[in-house]
Short mmCIF file of all heavy atoms in Angstrom, two decimals:
data_model
loop_
_atom_site.label_atom_id
_atom_site.label_comp_id
_atom_site.label_asym_id
_atom_site.label_seq_id
_atom_site.Cartn_x
_atom_site.Cartn_y
_atom_site.Cartn_z
N GLY A 1 -13.55 23.63 27.22
CA GLY A 1 -12.91 24.72 27.98
C GLY A 1 -12.83 24.43 29.45
O GLY A 1 -11.81 24.66 30.11
N ASP A 2 -13.91 23.88 30.01
CA ASP A 2 -13.90 23.52 31.44
C ASP A 2 -12.83 22.49 31.73
O ASP A 2 -12.16 22.55 32.77
CB ASP A 2 -15.27 22.95 31.83
CG ASP A 2 -16.38 23.98 31.85
OD1 ASP A 2 -16.05 25.17 31.79
OD2 ASP A 2 -17.57 23.59 31.84
N THR A 3 -12.65 21.55 30.81
CA THR A 3 -11.61 20.54 30.99
C THR A 3 -10.22 21.17 30.97
O THR A 3 -9.32 20.82 31.73
CB THR A 3 -11.71 19.47 29.90
OG1 THR A 3 -13.03 18.90 29.93
CG2 THR A 3 -10.72 18.33 30.11
N MET A 4 -10.04 22.16 30.09
CA MET A 4 -8.76 22.87 30.02
C MET A 4 -8.47 23.62 31.32
O MET A 4 -7.34 23.69 31.78
CB MET A 4 -8.75 23.81 28.83
CG MET A 4 -8.76 23.08 27.49
SD MET A 4 -9.14 24.15 26.07
CE MET A 4 -7.57 25.04 25.93
N PHE A 5 -9.50 24.16 31.93
CA PHE A 5 -9.33 24.85 33.21
C PHE A 5 -8.82 23.89 34.24
O PHE A 5 -7.91 24.19 35.03
CB PHE A 5 -10.63 25.49 33.66
CG PHE A 5 -10.50 26.33 34.89
CD1 PHE A 5 -10.09 27.65 34.81
CD2 PHE A 5 -10.76 25.81 36.16
CE1 PHE A 5 -9.95 28.44 35.96
CE2 PHE A 5 -10.63 26.59 37.30
CZ PHE A 5 -10.23 27.91 37.19
N ALA A 6 -9.39 22.67 34.28
CA ALA A 6 -8.94 21.65 35.22
C ALA A 6 -7.48 21.25 34.95
O ALA A 6 -6.68 21.07 35.86
CB ALA A 6 -9.87 20.44 35.17
N LEU A 7 -7.16 21.10 33.67
CA LEU A 7 -5.76 20.72 33.29
C LEU A 7 -4.78 21.77 33.74
O LEU A 7 -3.64 21.45 34.04
CB LEU A 7 -5.69 20.50 31.77
CG LEU A 7 -6.35 19.22 31.18
CD1 LEU A 7 -6.37 19.30 29.68
CD2 LEU A 7 -5.56 18.00 31.67
N THR A 8 -5.20 23.03 33.77
CA THR A 8 -4.31 24.10 34.18
C THR A 8 -3.70 23.80 35.58
O THR A 8 -2.51 23.90 35.79
CB THR A 8 -5.07 25.43 34.23
OG1 THR A 8 -5.49 25.75 32.92
CG2 THR A 8 -4.17 26.55 34.75
N TYR A 9 -4.56 23.41 36.51
CA TYR A 9 -4.07 23.14 37.88
C TYR A 9 -3.17 21.93 37.89
O TYR A 9 -2.19 21.87 38.66
CB TYR A 9 -5.28 22.94 38.83
CG TYR A 9 -5.80 24.25 39.34
CD1 TYR A 9 -6.93 24.84 38.78
CD2 TYR A 9 -5.15 24.94 40.37
CE1 TYR A 9 -7.41 26.06 39.25
CE2 TYR A 9 -5.64 26.15 40.85
CZ TYR A 9 -6.76 26.71 40.27
OH TYR A 9 -7.22 27.92 40.74
N ARG A 10 -3.45 20.93 37.06
CA ARG A 10 -2.57 19.78 37.00
C ARG A 10 -1.15 20.18 36.63
O ARG A 10 -0.17 19.71 37.22
CB ARG A 10 -3.11 18.76 36.00
CG ARG A 10 -2.17 17.54 35.78
CD ARG A 10 -2.72 16.55 34.77
NE ARG A 10 -3.88 15.85 35.37
CZ ARG A 10 -4.64 15.01 34.69
NH1 ARG A 10 -4.42 14.76 33.39
NH2 ARG A 10 -5.64 14.37 35.28
N TYR A 11 -1.03 21.05 35.67
CA TYR A 11 0.30 21.47 35.21
C TYR A 11 0.97 22.45 36.16
O TYR A 11 2.18 22.43 36.38
CB TYR A 11 0.22 22.04 33.79
CG TYR A 11 0.18 20.93 32.74
CD1 TYR A 11 -1.02 20.36 32.34
CD2 TYR A 11 1.36 20.42 32.19
CE1 TYR A 11 -1.06 19.31 31.47
CE2 TYR A 11 1.31 19.38 31.29
CZ TYR A 11 0.09 18.81 30.93
OH TYR A 11 0.07 17.77 30.01
N LEU A 12 0.20 23.34 36.76
CA LEU A 12 0.76 24.28 37.70
C LEU A 12 1.36 23.57 38.93
O LEU A 12 2.35 24.00 39.50
CB LEU A 12 -0.28 25.30 38.16
CG LEU A 12 -0.66 26.39 37.13
CD1 LEU A 12 -1.84 27.20 37.65
CD2 LEU A 12 0.51 27.31 36.85
N ALA A 13 0.68 22.46 39.32
CA ALA A 13 1.12 21.74 40.51
C ALA A 13 1.95 20.50 40.19
O ALA A 13 2.13 19.66 41.03
CB ALA A 13 -0.10 21.35 41.34
N ALA A 14 2.42 20.40 38.94
CA ALA A 14 3.14 19.19 38.49
C ALA A 14 4.44 19.00 39.26
O ALA A 14 4.87 17.86 39.48
CB ALA A 14 3.42 19.26 37.01
N LYS A 15 5.08 20.09 39.67
CA LYS A 15 6.33 19.97 40.43
C LYS A 15 6.10 20.60 41.81
O LYS A 15 5.37 21.57 41.95
CB LYS A 15 7.46 20.71 39.71
CG LYS A 15 7.99 19.99 38.46
CD LYS A 15 9.26 20.66 37.98
CE LYS A 15 9.86 19.90 36.80
NZ LYS A 15 11.07 20.54 36.27
N HIS A 16 6.77 20.03 42.78
CA HIS A 16 6.62 20.55 44.15
C HIS A 16 7.65 21.69 44.35
O HIS A 16 8.73 21.50 44.85
CB HIS A 16 6.84 19.46 45.20
CG HIS A 16 6.66 19.97 46.58
ND1 HIS A 16 5.41 20.36 47.07
CD2 HIS A 16 7.56 20.18 47.60
CE1 HIS A 16 5.56 20.75 48.31
NE2 HIS A 16 6.83 20.67 48.66
N HIS A 17 7.25 22.89 43.95
CA HIS A 17 8.09 24.05 44.16
C HIS A 17 7.99 24.47 45.62
O HIS A 17 6.92 24.38 46.22
CB HIS A 17 7.66 25.19 43.26
CG HIS A 17 7.71 24.84 41.81
ND1 HIS A 17 8.89 24.66 41.12
CD2 HIS A 17 6.72 24.69 40.88
CE1 HIS A 17 8.61 24.38 39.88
NE2 HIS A 17 7.31 24.39 39.70
N PRO A 18 9.06 24.99 46.18
CA PRO A 18 9.02 25.46 47.56
C PRO A 18 7.93 26.51 47.83
O PRO A 18 7.42 26.61 48.92
CB PRO A 18 10.42 26.06 47.81
CG PRO A 18 11.29 25.36 46.80
CD PRO A 18 10.41 25.12 45.63
N ARG A 19 7.58 27.26 46.77
CA ARG A 19 6.61 28.32 46.94
C ARG A 19 5.32 28.00 46.15
O ARG A 19 4.67 28.87 45.58
CB ARG A 19 7.23 29.66 46.50
CG ARG A 19 8.39 30.01 47.41
CD ARG A 19 9.24 31.14 46.84
NE ARG A 19 8.64 32.44 47.00
CZ ARG A 19 9.25 33.57 46.68
NH1 ARG A 19 10.46 33.54 46.16
NH2 ARG A 19 8.65 34.73 46.88
N LEU A 20 4.98 26.73 46.16
CA LEU A 20 3.82 26.26 45.36
C LEU A 20 2.54 26.96 45.80
O LEU A 20 1.67 27.32 44.96
CB LEU A 20 3.68 24.75 45.46
CG LEU A 20 2.54 24.13 44.66
CD1 LEU A 20 2.70 24.41 43.15
CD2 LEU A 20 2.47 22.61 44.91
N LYS A 21 2.35 27.15 47.11
CA LYS A 21 1.12 27.80 47.60
C LYS A 21 1.04 29.21 47.03
O LYS A 21 -0.03 29.62 46.57
CB LYS A 21 1.05 27.82 49.11
CG LYS A 21 -0.28 28.39 49.61
CD LYS A 21 -0.38 28.41 51.12
CE LYS A 21 -1.76 28.86 51.57
NZ LYS A 21 -2.17 30.18 51.01
N GLU A 22 2.13 29.96 47.08
CA GLU A 22 2.12 31.29 46.51
C GLU A 22 1.79 31.28 45.02
O GLU A 22 1.05 32.10 44.52
CB GLU A 22 3.47 31.98 46.71
CG GLU A 22 3.81 32.42 48.11
CD GLU A 22 5.19 33.03 48.18
OE1 GLU A 22 5.37 34.16 47.73
OE2 GLU A 22 6.09 32.32 48.66
N LEU A 23 2.38 30.30 44.35
CA LEU A 23 2.13 30.15 42.91
C LEU A 23 0.63 29.93 42.63
O LEU A 23 0.04 30.60 41.79
CB LEU A 23 2.97 28.99 42.37
CG LEU A 23 3.05 28.69 40.89
CD1 LEU A 23 4.31 27.92 40.56
CD2 LEU A 23 1.86 27.88 40.44
N LEU A 24 0.03 28.95 43.36
CA LEU A 24 -1.36 28.64 43.14
C LEU A 24 -2.27 29.77 43.60
O LEU A 24 -3.30 30.03 42.92
CB LEU A 24 -1.71 27.34 43.87
CG LEU A 24 -1.05 26.05 43.32
CD1 LEU A 24 -1.43 24.86 44.17
CD2 LEU A 24 -1.45 25.79 41.89
N ASP A 25 -1.92 30.44 44.68
CA ASP A 25 -2.73 31.60 45.14
C ASP A 25 -2.68 32.69 44.08
O ASP A 25 -3.72 33.36 43.80
CB ASP A 25 -2.19 32.13 46.45
CG ASP A 25 -2.56 31.25 47.64
OD1 ASP A 25 -3.40 30.34 47.48
OD2 ASP A 25 -1.97 31.45 48.74
#
């Protein structure tokens, strides 16, 4: 489960969206 949590951020940040900070926040 901990590994899956880390993978979540990898996929959320996979593309450089103009509003990536808002997305991650």
Side-chain angles (χ1 to χ4, degrees):
D2 291 345
T3 304
M4 292 168 74
F5 186 85
L7 286 170
T8 296
Y9 276 99
R10 174 179 290 174
Y11 279 88
L12 286 172
K15 287 189 175 179
H16 182 68
H17 301 291
R19 297 165 77 176
L20 182 59
K21 185 179 185 306
E22 287 178 75
L23 186 158
L24 293 176
D25 286 348

